[in-house]
Amino acid sequence: MKFGIFYELQLPRPWQPGGELQLYQNALDQVELADRLGYDYAWEVEHHFLEEYSHSPAPEVFLAAASQRTKRIRLAHGIMQLTTTHPARCAERIAALDLVSNGRVEFGTGDSASVTELQPFGVAFDEKRAIWEEAIRAIIPMFGEGGVEHHGKYFDMPLRNVLPKPVQKPHPPLWVACSQLETIEMAGRRGLGALAFQFLSADAAHAWVHAYYNAFTKRQQKLADYVTNPNLAITSYFMCAETDDEARRRADGIPFFQFALRFYGQSAMRERPAPGTVNLWDEYEKWKRANPEAHQRALSGGLIGSPETLRQKLRKFETSNIDSVILLNQAGKNTHEDICESLKLFAREVMPEFHAHIPEHEEWKAKVLAREIELEEIDTQPFRDRYGPNSVQLTPAQAAE
């Protein structure tokens, strides 16, 4: 099992002068630390106009800066929005990042999750999946030698040679975000790596791993002529400390992250309020005061706890054959110091055990892909809840207040 770190670049109110500067510099320090500690991936999102929740509209800039402070860690777009950028600009940026990082890019893609992000770019919410599919078809040939042209419903481009070309041939590994669990099967069918949210149980992980690899091996329908990327990664809330109680104390930003998802996620097409009309941190504090038991339950999930607690949780998921776990602890007002200590403790006390099993896992995966191991077809319907009973719960009325 491999491990990555994940960044939304959250900045709750009240905003102070220099707050965004410190946010970015701390995150870059953390990626540099993770590289030294042996983490495998650094994932960076692309979001637009989402106050407090994400101040990360240009992941290619952040990852380029990280590339000059690191040597080994893979630099991963989690994701680049193909709906809001012309395919040629996507191909150019990925190739340039691959060059400055000496071939360490992971090309995660997606279509954006909210009308707030899409509307200013003139993109219709109900067309975003179709636009993403056409963008994939347009981008892949651009990584090759010589000129390409594209004439489709959403993009029209005359014959041009898109430059530069990436170091990794024929292109960096391809991923797609799975904001809804059922899209994991779609990722497998398309031959793409799947970026999923954490599963609620080892049974759910087992079912979705089977669904992904069965779609990949039995029902594959690629969108274009690309190299497939058989990988299933899950993002998990994370904080590691010497004791479970201390880890929960340091992880108050995690319920804020959940609160923000639910607060906005229940509105139509996930539309956000007008700028400056909602103080999300204040709304979270109100909810926390009114729901102390729910707040504590929200800290019981994910990978929050002592090294021994995290080892026990990961051992259960390891039996499901998940390829990698992406650790999210830059959330809310979690401190830079606590995040760094968490990364160090996990790397020292937990990660080596699971890194040691990577060759065994790769052998299993090779046999699955060769159809030497046939995976059971498991009904995923009972495992489609993204949040679970212990996560932050809001009624639509609360989210609209």
Side-chain angles (χ1 to χ4, degrees), residues 235-256:
T235 303
S236 179
Y237 304 125
F238 170 66
M239 185 65 76
C240 185
E242 293 293 348
T243 68
D244 291 349
D245 286 345
E246 181 62 16
R248 287 191 287 267
R249 186 189 68 78
R250 295 181 179 190
D252 186 63
I254 299 302
F256 171 78

Side-chain angles (χ1 to χ4, degrees), residues 35-66:
D35 180 59
R36 294 199 306 268
L37 293 172
Y39 287 84
D40 301 285
Y41 300 98
W43 293 91
E44 177 74 10
V45 306
E46 178 182 348
H47 279 307
H48 302 276
F49 320 119
L50 305 188
E51 296 178 341
E52 300 184 73
Y53 179 73
S54 177
H55 291 230
S56 179
E60 69 280 359
V61 176
F62 179 88
L63 293 172

Side-chain angles (χ1 to χ4, degrees), residues 7 32 42 60 124 174 197 204 253 279 281 285 288 304 321 324:
Y7 288 90
E32 184 177 355
E60 69 280 359
L174 302 174
F197 278 82
N279 183 317
W281 182 262
E285 287 289 307
K288 187 167 67 171
I304 299 172
N321 288 299
S324 61

Side-chain angles (χ1 to χ4, degrees), residues 36 47 104 106 138 149 152 156 194 232 250 304 381 392 394:
R36 294 199 306 268
H47 279 307
R104 289 187 281 140
E106 303 280 326
E149 57 185 307
D156 191 83
L232 176 55
R250 295 181 179 190
I304 299 172
Q381 195 60 44
V392 170
L394 295 177

Side-chain angles (χ1 to χ4, degrees), residues 17 32-33 40 43 95 108 110 126 132 142 209 249 263 342 361 375:
E32 184 177 355
L33 172 64
D40 301 285
W43 293 91
D126 60 359
W132 170 78
M142 295 176 182
V209 167
R249 186 189 68 78
F263 188 89
S342 180
H361 172 72
L375 299 180

Side-chain angles (χ1 to χ4, degrees), residues 322-339:
I322 290 166
D323 292 290
S324 61
V325 176
I326 307 169
L327 305 169
L328 188 161
N329 68 348
Q330 192 285 309
K333 296 186 179 182
N334 291 354
T335 70
H336 175 60
E337 292 74 21
D338 288 345
I339 291 169

Side-chain angles (χ1 to χ4, degrees), residues 98-151:
D98 210 39
L99 289 166
V100 300
S101 68
N102 197 22
R104 289 187 281 140
V105 174
E106 303 280 326
F107 185 16
T109 70
D111 54 20
S112 179
S114 70
V115 68
T116 296
E117 296 182 76
L118 294 171
Q119 190 178 51
F121 297 102
V123 177
F125 187 86
D126 60 359
E127 293 185 279
K128 64 191 183 82
R129 174 57 62 82
I131 296 171
W132 170 78
E133 290 185 353
E134 184 179 323
I136 291 287
R137 295 187 179 102
I139 289 169
I140 297 305
M142 295 176 182
F143 291 129
E145 298 303 321
V148 298
E149 57 185 307
H150 179 83
H151 306 288

